Amino acid sequence: MADQWARSGLDLHLAIDRAGGVRAGLEQALRTAVRDGRLSPGDPLPSSRALAQELGIARGTVTQVYEQLTAEGYLTSRARSGVRIAAQARPAGLPSLPPASPFRPPAGGVDLRPGLPDLSMFPRREWLAATRHVLQTAPNQAFAYGDPTGDVALRSALADYLGRARGVITTPEHVIVCAGYTHALRLICQALSGTVAFEDPTLQDYAALAERVGLRVTRMPVDADGLVVGGLTDESAVVVTPAHQFPLGVTLSPQRRRELLDWAGRAGAVIVEDDYDGEFRYDRQPVGALQGLAPEQVVYAGTVSKTIAPALRIAWIAAPTRLVPVLRAALRFDEAYVNAIDQLVLAHLIRRGELDRHLRRCRIRYAQRRDRLGRAVAARLPGARLSGIAAGLHAVLHLPGADEPAMRERLAADGVMVDPLSGFYRQPRQAPPGVVVGYATPPQHAYDSAIESLIAALAGR
Amino acid sequence: MADQWARSGLDLHLAIDRAGGVRAGLEQALRTAVRDGRLSPGDPLPSSRALAQELGIARGTVTQVYEQLTAEGYLTSRARSGVRIAAQARPAGLPSLPPASPFRPPAGGVDLRPGLPDLSMFPRREWLAATRHVLQTAPNQAFAYGDPTGDVALRSALADYLGRARGVITTPEHVIVCAGYTHALRLICQALSGTVAFEDPTLQDYAALAERVGLRVTRMPVDADGLVVGGLTDESAVVVTPAHQFPLGVTLSPQRRRELLDWAGRAGAVIVEDDYDGEFRYDRQPVGALQGLAPEQVVYAGTVSKTIAPALRIAWIAAPTRLVPVLRAALRFDEAYVNAIDQLVLAHLIRRGELDRHLRRCRIRYAQRRDRLGRAVAARLPGARLSGIAAGLHAVLHLPGADEPAMRERLAADGVMVDPLSGFYRQPRQAPPGVVVGYATPPQHAYDSAIESLIAALAGR
């Protein structure tokens, strides 16, 4: 009895937070006492009458709390032994964990790594206005489980937009909305079998993804005309970046386009066209998508990650007819991940011409930046040269004869982040010396000084 | 020569849409002529001078168009033979395709299928206000590639909310934001091996998903105390719905909770707690999550699909410490799919108490609906009985002795959609006769007449 009293309310220092009500406060206080170890498995609790008296609350409240915590497994209640702390009621505290590694380590200084648009251009006002429109007009049914291939409003807007802006031939039923290019590529890989060829250099993670879903991977070299098609044999598919090879920045030449389509026809293979920054060409009109020449041989994949922002997680596939059922089947277990509101927002922005206006603003800015980079290199880095066409969000700065470790050291010392070209090659030692410069990455006000820092570090001052 | 002239502009009926400029219009007109078959592979085109004259446009424009279409692979240009249509330039037209099968076939009449909240309660105003706040305050960096485990603002808000509302013990670093429960379950399954037990009855698709990622699957029966734990042996994991079993609606009893934790401790197994509608209990306070008793043994998974709307595609995992690195590794190829804006919006709604207010409104409405259903059944369906606790968004209506095919026929004839209980059993013939009624599904104004139709169809009028 003394033991029971010693463990009752006041002695336990049950700090009851009454903000959410006495009952919730007492429940929480008892849970905390168990977790902190002030109450141990097997310990008896005072009777509901005794605890109620001590705390000055209704006995019914204590009874309800005891019932609740018994239902949750914290307490046991037996006829003769009364209410006790249950055997499993004391969970170990959770240790602290480091945060997850980010996709891109944060920039400590000047960030000129490729892969990002200028995020200060994100169309905040337009996105909000479109969200208002969607939330004011969408039927309730839009908030249910949607079409697994994406909302038909977005698929229709995309089919029209891709036809107009990229020469893609498709229909809304051939389009699948995805949650970013990685999701698109995984879905496509699930529809393939055998061996898939990737460009070399490229982002090595994509080949790893294909291997992860059970495909074999080969690599094909890239030259000034883009992918070297002659090396392809009996692969079931090839992943290419025809508009603006990543990272080399070349365009797949007309001759190579023909060769590639010929090969795919002979081999019965699929061409996966990664059109990740096809909207951006500064010297003349963008070259239309390869898909437009052979919509039944090419799986086209695009994304808003480079045109608007990666944080939106929206991409799309325009698939050949025979792959549509396979892709739809893959969606059963790797489903539609894109918030329906966001899909309707993007559809509205496309239909209203806002995406086109945004792209025009971006093109003007990026063209100026590329130009500025080119002039600085020409004037102050003798022997260096920018390669690739005037397109996209990045350029390769070739540095013939440069000592890569020393160069990296100077860049690091000056706090300038660019990606060495070698990191995109399967055999980094086969890469020519150079760096990939993401000229869209810095905010506008910091661009000139970013280029200044880059040139200074590379010139060795 | 006559041949060339016959194929020139006017004879080709090149309808040039000048809205986007003459150049873009001519390009599009030529592409269309190729695709329609009016121009065939090998056909010569008029010289740029001749075409320009005929169309009354600048010769330079025609030259540019020819160059562009040559780069895209539509045309070939040789010194002596002039410009011709390229060999691969005529893609087959795409056939029309049926739309994808929806996750839920659309309702033709009265929709009382389980799985949806009342979508007319979607907090449109609050979602828009939170979006405005986020778009006005988020730093540009929020639009980049984010933390693959989810934005820390949302993970922190969730850790607090889950602790407060569901008794979950976790930290922001133990939380992973997912794009819906299916994504969460796939990530969890990728972190497991061996055999996983599922409840029977349950949604059969989840077991299929586990098999798809290479796990073996067993089924454990469910009785009035929830999952029958005694059948578990050396499984590596079990997936349970302790708060409100789906579809039977029972709560996992205190005794079974203890047995389950004992088993998991002995077997070194993981308990996957699917807390899909744990927020909704109408007769008294919700039973806290099992996870709170054993946060290092239980992987907790929750979602907004039942509390706000499935269209948002947001869910979460609170994982035991030892599984966090494995889950983070799985994210490399099955990445963060949730728009960062939406993550910040949900975090804001949780922090501002809007989610709690929304849940209170929903609880009141759903409690009334369940009550209404119960009274109608008691009064007008003698022999029938509602089972399961007063919680969640659905109830099981047991119809002892009912002839299921005849019952289905009557329901279909009256246009009433409910899910037969048998559909959730691995062996449908072992199911007791009954239907699962999703009483949250109809909009408020249609609820009374929906129940009326259901009762009428089941009573055979």
Side-chain angles (χ1 to χ4, degrees):
Chain A
M1 189 68 189
D3 183 40
Q4 278 203 25
W5 279 101
R7 295 188 174 280
S8 75
L10 293 176
D11 287 314
L12 275 171
H13 301 292
L14 288 179
I16 299 181
D17 176 359
R18 291 173 188 240
V22 171
R23 182 181 153 175
L26 177 58
E27 266 179 36
Q28 198 49 50
L30 281 169
R31 282 199 203 95
T32 306
V34 170
R35 287 176 191 159
D36 293 354
R38 285 176 285 147
L39 287 168
S40 302
D43 280 353
L45 284 179
S47 70
S48 55
R49 183 195 304 268
L51 187 57
Q53 213 165 31
E54 190 136 351
L55 296 172
I57 63 181
R59 185 181 170 191
T61 304
V62 178
T63 308
Q64 286 174 341
V65 167
Y66 280 7
E67 280 177 12
Q68 174 78 19
L69 295 178
T70 301
E72 293 181 6
Y74 284 90
L75 307 181
T76 54
S77 172
R78 297 246 169 90
R80 258 170 305 181
S81 58
V83 176
R84 290 173 180 271
I85 306 299
Q88 298 91 345
R90 188 175 162 192
L94 288 179
S96 70
L97 279 173
S101 310
F103 285 132
R104 288 168 70 97
V110 173
D111 193 355
L112 283 165
R113 290 170 297 177
L116 283 184
D118 179 354
L119 298 170
S120 72
M121 298 186 79
F122 185 89
R124 295 177 186 240
R125 199 169 42 78
E126 293 81 359
W127 193 270
L128 178 61
T131 303
R132 182 182 302 109
H133 171 82
V134 167
L135 286 170
Q136 286 172 352
T137 59
N140 291 330
Q141 207 50 35
F143 303 121
Y145 290 96
D147 184 320
T149 60
D151 194 286
V152 65
L154 179 56
R155 288 186 287 107
S156 300
L158 282 171
D160 290 352
Y161 166 77
L162 294 174
R164 172 167 56 76
R166 306 294 302 124
V168 168
I169 299 174
T170 193
T171 79
E173 286 68 42
H174 288 79
V175 171
I176 293 173
V177 176
C178 306
Y181 177 72
T182 302
H183 182 216
L185 184 61
R186 198 180 58 244
L187 279 174
I188 293 167
C189 285
Q190 286 176 41
L192 301 173
S193 58
T195 304
V196 176
F198 281 82
E199 296 172 323
D200 186 26
T202 188
L203 270 179
Q204 297 297 324
D205 258 12
Y206 294 149
L209 168 59
E211 284 174 337
R212 167 104 173 185
V213 301
L215 300 171
R216 283 186 302 278
V217 164
T218 56
R219 325 271 173 152
M220 294 294 140
V222 176
D223 65 17
D225 287 326
L227 177 80
V228 177
V229 176
L232 291 167
T233 55
D234 60 350
E235 290 82 0
S236 59
V238 58
V239 181
V240 280
T241 48
H244 190 227
Q245 204 277 333
F246 188 85
L248 296 181
V250 297
T251 300
L252 192 64
S253 72
Q255 171 73 18
R256 289 278 172 82
R257 286 174 188 239
R258 280 193 294 278
E259 286 174 20
L260 186 58
L261 293 174
D262 280 345
W263 167 79
R266 280 196 314 274
V270 169
I271 299 166
V272 181
E273 176 170 27
D274 174 5
D275 196 32
Y276 73 104
D277 67 359
E279 282 91 344
F280 293 123
R281 175 129 188 192
Y282 313 123
D283 51 352
R284 44 186 174 139
Q285 190 145 340
V287 170
L290 181 63
Q291 194 268 5
L293 284 177
E296 294 291 30
Q297 288 182 289
V298 178
V299 190
Y300 175 91
T303 168
V304 297
S305 293
K306 306 297 180 283
T307 51
I308 310 181
L312 297 178
R313 315 312 298 129
I314 305 181
W316 46 80
I317 296 170
T321 307
R322 71 181 186 283
L323 285 187
V324 170
V326 197
L327 290 166
R328 288 182 180 175
L331 282 171
R332 183 178 165 207
F333 298 109
D334 194 4
E335 51 172 320
Y337 296 122
V338 187
N339 183 342
I341 299 173
D342 299 329
Q343 295 189 49
L344 295 173
V345 165
L346 181 58
H348 188 70
L349 292 175
I350 292 174
R351 290 287 184 206
R352 292 286 293 263
E354 295 290 0
L355 178 60
D356 292 276
R357 277 188 282 279
H358 175 71
L359 288 174
R360 280 198 291 276
R361 287 191 293 268
C362 291
R363 264 187 221 111
I364 292 167
R365 177 169 290 186
Y366 297 157
Q368 289 167 343
R369 288 190 179 190
R370 195 180 196 286
D371 208 45
R372 168 98 181 73
L373 172 64
R375 278 185 278 115
V377 168
R380 297 176 48 201
L381 288 180
R385 108 191 129 77
L386 278 190
S387 78
I389 59 168
L393 311 178
H394 74 276
V396 174
L397 179 51
H398 289 279
L399 300 159
D403 174 12
E404 190 168 304
M407 177 185 78
R408 281 184 192 233
E409 220 166 87
R410 280 202 310 277
L411 288 165
D414 286 10
V416 178
M417 301 177 82
V418 284
D419 284 347
L421 187 54
S422 58
F424 299 98
Y425 280 80
R426 181 145 188 249
Q427 306 286 351
R429 298 171 66 176
Q430 293 178 356
V435 293
V436 184
V437 182
Y439 50 77
T441 307
Q444 183 74 350
H445 66 86
Y447 184 69
D448 283 357
S449 73
I451 294 303
E452 189 59 37
S453 304
L454 173 72
I455 299 282
L458 290 176
R461 235 131 321 197
Chain B
M1 190 66 190
D3 183 41
Q4 278 203 25
W5 279 103
R7 295 188 172 280
S8 74
L10 294 177
D11 287 315
L12 275 171
H13 301 291
L14 287 179
I16 299 182
D17 176 358
R18 291 172 189 241
V22 171
R23 181 180 153 177
L26 177 57
E27 265 179 38
Q28 198 48 51
L30 280 169
R31 282 198 203 98
T32 304
V34 171
R35 287 177 190 159
D36 293 353
R38 284 176 285 148
L39 287 168
S40 301
D43 280 353
L45 283 180
S47 69
S48 55
R49 182 194 304 268
L51 187 58
Q53 212 164 29
E54 189 136 351
L55 295 172
I57 64 180
R59 183 180 173 190
T61 303
V62 178
T63 309
Q64 286 174 342
V65 168
Y66 280 7
E67 278 176 14
Q68 174 76 19
L69 294 178
T70 301
E72 293 181 8
Y74 284 89
L75 306 181
T76 54
S77 173
R78 298 249 168 87
R80 257 171 304 181
S81 58
V83 177
R84 289 174 181 270
I85 306 299
Q88 298 90 344
R90 188 175 162 191
L94 287 179
S96 69
L97 277 173
S101 311
F103 285 132
R104 288 168 71 97
V110 173
D111 193 354
L112 283 166
R113 290 170 296 178
L116 283 184
D118 178 355
L119 299 170
S120 71
M121 299 187 78
F122 185 90
R124 295 177 186 238
R125 199 170 40 80
E126 294 80 359
W127 193 270
L128 178 60
T131 303
R132 181 182 302 109
H133 172 82
V134 167
L135 286 170
Q136 285 172 352
T137 58
N140 291 330
Q141 208 49 36
F143 303 122
Y145 290 96
D147 184 319
T149 60
D151 194 286
V152 66
L154 179 56
R155 288 186 288 108
S156 301
L158 282 172
D160 291 350
Y161 166 75
L162 294 173
R164 171 167 55 76
R166 306 295 302 125
V168 167
I169 300 175
T170 193
T171 79
E173 285 69 42
H174 288 77
V175 172
I176 293 174
V177 176
C178 306
Y181 177 71
T182 302
H183 182 216
L185 184 61
R186 197 180 58 246
L187 279 174
I188 292 167
C189 285
Q190 287 176 40
L192 301 174
S193 58
T195 304
V196 177
F198 282 82
E199 296 172 323
D200 186 28
T202 189
L203 270 179
Q204 297 297 324
D205 258 12
Y206 295 148
L209 167 59
E211 284 174 338
R212 167 104 172 185
V213 302
L215 300 172
R216 281 186 303 279
V217 164
T218 56
R219 325 272 170 149
M220 294 293 140
V222 177
D223 64 17
D225 287 326
L227 178 80
V228 178
V229 176
L232 292 167
T233 55
D234 60 349
E235 290 81 1
S236 60
V238 58
V239 181
V240 280
T241 47
H244 190 226
Q245 204 275 334
F246 189 85
L248 295 182
V250 297
T251 301
L252 193 63
S253 72
Q255 171 72 16
R256 290 278 171 81
R257 285 174 189 240
R258 279 194 293 279
E259 287 174 19
L260 187 58
L261 292 174
D262 280 345
W263 167 79
R266 283 197 312 275
V270 169
I271 299 165
V272 181
E273 177 172 27
D274 174 5
D275 196 33
Y276 73 103
D277 67 359
E279 282 92 344
F280 294 123
R281 175 129 189 191
Y282 314 123
D283 51 352
R284 44 188 174 139
Q285 192 144 342
V287 171
L290 182 64
Q291 194 268 3
L293 284 177
E296 295 291 30
Q297 289 182 287
V298 178
V299 189
Y300 175 92
T303 168
V304 296
S305 293
K306 305 297 180 284
T307 51
I308 311 181
L312 297 179
R313 314 311 299 132
I314 305 182
W316 45 82
I317 295 169
T321 307
R322 72 181 186 284
L323 285 188
V324 170
V326 196
L327 290 167
R328 287 181 181 175
L331 282 171
R332 183 178 165 207
F333 297 110
D334 194 3
E335 51 170 319
Y337 296 122
V338 187
N339 182 342
I341 299 174
D342 299 330
Q343 295 190 49
L344 296 173
V345 165
L346 181 58
H348 188 70
L349 291 176
I350 293 173
R351 291 286 185 209
R352 292 285 294 263
E354 296 288 2
L355 178 59
D356 292 278
R357 275 188 283 279
H358 175 71
L359 287 174
R360 279 198 292 276
R361 286 192 293 267
C362 292
R363 263 187 222 111
I364 292 168
R365 177 170 290 188
Y366 298 156
Q368 289 167 342
R369 289 190 178 191
R370 194 181 197 284
D371 208 43
R372 169 97 182 74
L373 172 65
R375 278 185 279 118
V377 168
R380 298 175 50 200
L381 288 179
R385 112 191 125 77
L386 278 189
S387 77
I389 59 168
L393 310 179
H394 74 275
V396 174
L397 179 51
H398 290 278
L399 300 159
D403 173 11
E404 192 168 304
M407 178 186 76
R408 282 187 194 231
E409 220 166 86
R410 280 201 310 276
L411 288 165
D414 287 10
V416 178
M417 302 177 84
V418 285
D419 284 347
L421 186 53
S422 57
F424 299 98
Y425 280 80
R426 183 148 186 250
Q427 307 286 352
R429 297 171 64 176
Q430 293 178 357
V435 293
V436 185
V437 181
Y439 50 76
T441 307
Q444 183 73 352
H445 65 86
Y447 183 70
D448 283 356
S449 74
I451 295 303
E452 188 59 35
S453 304
L454 173 72
I455 299 282
L458 289 176
R461 234 129 320 190

